[in-house]
């Protein structure tokens, strides 16, 4: 039995196509998941446009934001059965003996391999998933929303775990993509005043940030940053996919403030970090997520405290992946969601 899959087959730009692939076989500790929905991530787009900065195991099925029903369970699987509604984390392969893994921070295990670049992902009908990264999805939460648990977890880790945000803080998010807007939504949940900054071409995406109670700023955010006491914003979340935004973050942050960088930018910096020293600023990287973050985010989605519906720009069959990718790439939608055929 073969199914259509969105495959990234080579490192050259545009090397993505639909291929028919066989149904995966599962190991003793795995389940076979029939995918209901899979979100398109900026990293999927980066692999398609070949401007990514991480190793890819070609050819590979794209997609790491997904949920669906269990259709088969391995012989050692406990606590899960056929028919269960689940979402999966991204850490498909980890080293159980790595010191990071043993601390529960397996997302920081340097040998970790994720869906969609290290092993086959979910832009197809069936995907093999280890039971250790499954999470239950309540019946009340639609898969179109549940499949976005992963980017919500990226945002939760950046804003709640890795930033020092308190109620009343002024927070600026650079970049109105999926992660940027979800970071802004998380910062609002933490009680912050939030501005999201983008370019003229981001006008549509910035309007969606406003639905989360955020200020939308095109271009220079200096005035907003300094509005309260002239010193700058308490925290800057850099969620743009370019290196130069770190320079902007250093200009906007207040002395003794905090910058959390969650957006990838492969370009070399080419500017001085002296402002980091002079302002006594904390610069924090934030990568991925782990089990307790997933449980907490699913609780937020289920309770309705976090609503991802405003960022979903449409659902496309995976055979129309190209249109879904293009619309996200050009900023016409924030998040494209695919449905296997």
């Amino acid at each position: 039995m073969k199914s259509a899959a969105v495959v990234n087959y080579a490192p050259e730009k545009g090397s993505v196509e639909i291929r028919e692939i066989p149904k995966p076989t599962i190991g003793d500790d795995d389940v076979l998941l029939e995918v209901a929905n899979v979100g398109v991530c900026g990293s999927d787009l980066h692999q398609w446009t070949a401007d990514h900065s991480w190793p890819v195991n070609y050819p590979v099925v794209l997609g790491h934001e997904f949920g669906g029903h269990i259709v088969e369970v391995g012989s050692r699987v406990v606590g899960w059965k056929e028919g269960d509604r689940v979402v999966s984390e991204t850490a498909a392969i980890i080293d159980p003996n790595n010191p990071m893994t043993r601390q529960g921070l397996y997302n920081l295990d340097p040998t970790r391999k994720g869906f969609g670049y290290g092993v086959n992902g979910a832009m197809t009908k069936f995907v093999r998933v280890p039971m250790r990264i499954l999470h239950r999805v309540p019946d009340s939460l639609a898969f179109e929303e549940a499949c976005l648990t992963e980017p919500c977890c990226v945002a939760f880790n950046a804003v709640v775990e890795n930033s020092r945000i308190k109620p009343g803080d002024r927070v600026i998010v650079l970049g109105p993509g999926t992660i940027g807007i979800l970071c802004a939504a998380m910062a609002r949940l933490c009680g912050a005043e939030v501005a999201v900054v983008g370019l003229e071409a981001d006008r549509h995406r910035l309007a969606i940030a406003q639905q989360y109670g955020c200020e939308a700023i095109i271009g220079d955010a200096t005035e907003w940053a300094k509005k309260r006491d002239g010193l700058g914003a308490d925290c800057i979340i850099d969620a743009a996919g370019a290196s130069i935004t770190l320079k902007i973050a250093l200009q906007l942050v207040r002395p003794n403030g905090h910058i959390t960088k969650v957006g990838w930018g492969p370009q070399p910096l080419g500017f001085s970090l002296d402002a980091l020293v002079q302002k006594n600023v904390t610069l924090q990287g934030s990568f991925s997520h782990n089990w307790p973050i997933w449980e907490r985010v699913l609780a937020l989605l289920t309770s309705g405290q976090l609503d991802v519906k405003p960022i979903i720009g449409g659902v496309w069959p995976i055979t129309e992946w190209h249109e879904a990718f293009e619309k996200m790439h050009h900023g016409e939608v924030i998040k494209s969601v695919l449905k296997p055929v």
Side-chain angles (χ1 to χ4, degrees):
M1 178 182 172
K2 292 200 167 186
S3 306
V6 182
V7 176
N8 182 196
Y9 57 86
E12 286 73 43
K13 185 175 181 176
S15 299
V16 172
E17 66 183 13
I18 290 282
R19 291 185 177 180
E20 294 285 318
I21 64 162
K23 189 172 171 180
T25 53
I26 62 168
D28 294 338
D29 300 306
D30 301 326
V31 304
L32 189 68
L33 199 63
E34 182 171 358
V35 180
N37 288 106
V38 52
V40 180
C41 175
S43 63
D44 296 313
L45 300 182
H46 283 305
Q47 285 178 221
W48 170 52
T49 54
D51 54 5
H52 58 287
S53 56
W54 51 89
V56 176
N57 186 19
Y58 303 102
V60 71
V61 179
L62 292 172
H64 60 264
E65 305 175 356
F66 62 97
H69 295 91
I70 295 174
V71 290
E72 197 181 317
V73 293
S75 61
R76 287 200 295 261
V77 170
V78 288
W80 302 100
K81 64 183 188 306
E82 287 179 35
D84 283 350
R85 301 176 87 241
V86 294
V87 285
S88 166
E89 297 181 37
T90 54
I93 298 174
I94 56 169
D95 174 4
N97 296 312
N98 185 277
M100 287 287 115
T101 303
R102 297 184 80 149
Q103 289 179 59
L105 298 174
Y106 50 85
N107 52 311
L108 304 180
D109 168 6
T111 67
R112 165 192 178 278
K113 286 186 171 62
F115 292 107
Y117 70 90
V119 303
N120 278 339
M123 287 186 188
T124 184
K125 196 169 180 65
F126 299 103
V127 62
R128 164 188 169 169
V129 180
M131 69 172 172
R132 66 178 163 78
I133 51 173
L134 292 172
H135 296 265
R136 210 170 295 283
V137 176
D139 291 342
S140 60
L141 187 60
F143 276 123
E144 284 174 22
E145 297 163 49
C147 76
L148 302 188
T149 308
E150 195 275 340
C152 294
C153 289
V154 170
F156 189 98
N157 195 29
V159 173
V160 181
E161 302 290 340
N162 283 322
S163 302
R164 305 186 301 226
I165 294 173
K166 298 189 292 295
D169 277 354
R170 284 171 81 77
V171 173
I172 292 176
V173 178
L174 303 176
T178 301
I179 300 301
I181 289 183
L182 290 174
C183 282
M186 287 292 177
R188 292 284 295 138
L189 284 176
C190 293
E193 295 176 54
V194 183
V196 181
V197 183
L199 307 170
E200 185 61 49
D202 296 320
R203 202 171 274 280
H204 165 68
R205 300 198 292 179
L206 288 167
I208 290 167
Q210 290 175 309
Q211 292 183 39
Y212 289 98
C214 302
E215 186 92 13
I217 298 174
I218 291 170
D220 187 7
T222 307
E223 189 184 343
W224 193 91
K226 296 190 171 181
K227 190 173 182 181
R228 186 178 288 170
D229 62 5
L231 287 175
D234 298 283
C235 179
I236 315 291
I237 309 284
D238 182 354
S243 301
I244 194 64
T245 45
L246 183 59
K247 185 177 185 180
I248 297 167
L250 284 167
Q251 291 162 358
L252 297 174
V253 72
R254 69 192 290 107
N256 207 40
H258 189 102
I259 298 170
T260 298
K261 184 157 172 49
V262 63
W264 295 73
Q267 309 87 358
L269 291 180
F271 57 86
S272 168
L273 291 177
D274 283 355
L276 189 78
V277 180
Q278 186 181 20
K279 285 184 170 182
N280 201 85
V281 168
T282 304
L283 176 60
Q284 169 78 46
S286 186
F287 179 68
S288 193
H289 30 66
N290 61 359
W291 194 89
I293 292 174
W294 277 73
E295 288 293 298
R296 184 56 57 99
V297 166
L298 277 163
L300 290 172
L301 289 169
T302 304
S303 70
Q305 288 180 81
L306 179 62
D307 181 10
V308 292
K309 288 193 284 292
I311 69 166
I312 300 172
V315 181
W316 287 263
I318 63 163
T319 46
E320 294 173 26
W321 69 270
H322 195 269
E323 183 186 338
F325 277 37
E326 286 278 2
K327 283 195 178 297
M328 247 179 95
H329 186 55
H330 294 300
E332 291 174 49
V333 301
I334 290 172
K335 174 62 70 175
S336 295
V337 173
L338 300 178
K339 193 167 182 59
V341 291

